Amino acid sequence: QKEVEQNSGPLSVPEGAIASLNCTYSDRGSQSFFWYRQYSGKSPELIMSIYSNGDKEDGRFTAQLNKASQYVSLLIRDSQPSDSATYLCAVSGGYQKVTFGTGTKLQVIP
Amino acid sequence: DGGITQSPKYLFRKEGQNVTLSCEQNLNHDAMYWYRQDPGQGLRLIYYSQIVNDFQKGDIAEGYSVSREKKESFPLTVTSAQKNPTAFYLCASSRQGDHNEQFFGPGTRLTVL
């Protein structure tokens, strides 16, 4: 069983729609959760961090965390073609180690 | 501007050669990391360092070596013992006690000819 699982996609959404990206993790002791955006050929860019159950909003992005169900999600409202990228979910249980999922490729269709 | 720099951006290596990838940060971060990324796979941790003159092996350390002589610098050497070194190498850093929030450099793409 993978430690951090994501659907590889591609997830295709029309421009202006809400994109919903999901991630599950296996370590119940995980404390910190991150979403990174990675454009093709580029390095990952941190876009959201969440540490407690519930929702965290930042502009068009909302991260949702449910520790009881061991899942974390990212919602992108009013999706734009520039949001087309691979989104990496990452989970940390402490001791400076972060485990990354393989990413979900998002395509926003104009 | 604060940030993480990696050099070179592209690197070509002949089989049997050792090469060193540079990573420098001016964020005053304590911890630094090296990952490799292969197509269709997640980031895999090679080595990490929490303080100067100390580092730990990650999940795939075989064939690699590192040093941490300065807080700002964490170079990675890919040795000839690494059987499949062609990959995208990413350096990251984080503050101690900051939820392990990691920030990445631009990466080095290594190709073995």
Side-chain angles (χ1 to χ4, degrees), chain A:
Chain A
Q1 181 188 8
K2 290 183 181 177
E3 295 180 47
V4 178
E5 292 210 43
Q6 298 181 254
N7 187 319
S8 61
L11 173 65
S12 295
V13 299
E15 184 175 355
I18 296 175
S20 177
L21 305 163
N22 301 311
C23 169
T24 58
Y25 60 93
S26 59
D27 183 359
R28 283 197 171 273
S30 299
Q31 301 170 6
S32 305
F33 306 85
F34 310 99
W35 283 100
Y36 288 83
R37 177 176 61 199
Q38 187 174 23
Y39 292 113
S40 180
K42 303 296 185 182
S43 63
E45 174 192 6
L46 180 65
I47 55 172
M48 289 290 285
S49 305
I50 187 166
Y51 311 119
S52 56
N53 278 331
D55 294 0
K56 179 181 178 182
E57 186 175 319
D58 184 0
R60 296 187 296 112
F61 299 101
T62 299
Q64 300 175 317
L65 175 60
N66 183 324
K67 289 186 178 180
S69 301
Q70 294 176 249
Y71 85 78
V72 57
S73 62
L74 179 71
L75 302 178
I76 306 174
R77 289 182 300 281
D78 188 24
S79 294
Q80 301 297 309
S82 59
D83 295 325
S84 297
T86 296
Y87 289 80
L88 306 177
C89 174
V91 175
S92 175
Y95 300 104
Q96 303 297 128
K97 187 176 179 182
V98 176
T99 302
F100 290 82
T102 55
T104 298
K105 185 173 183 179
L106 173 66
Q107 295 177 340
V108 180
I109 312 300

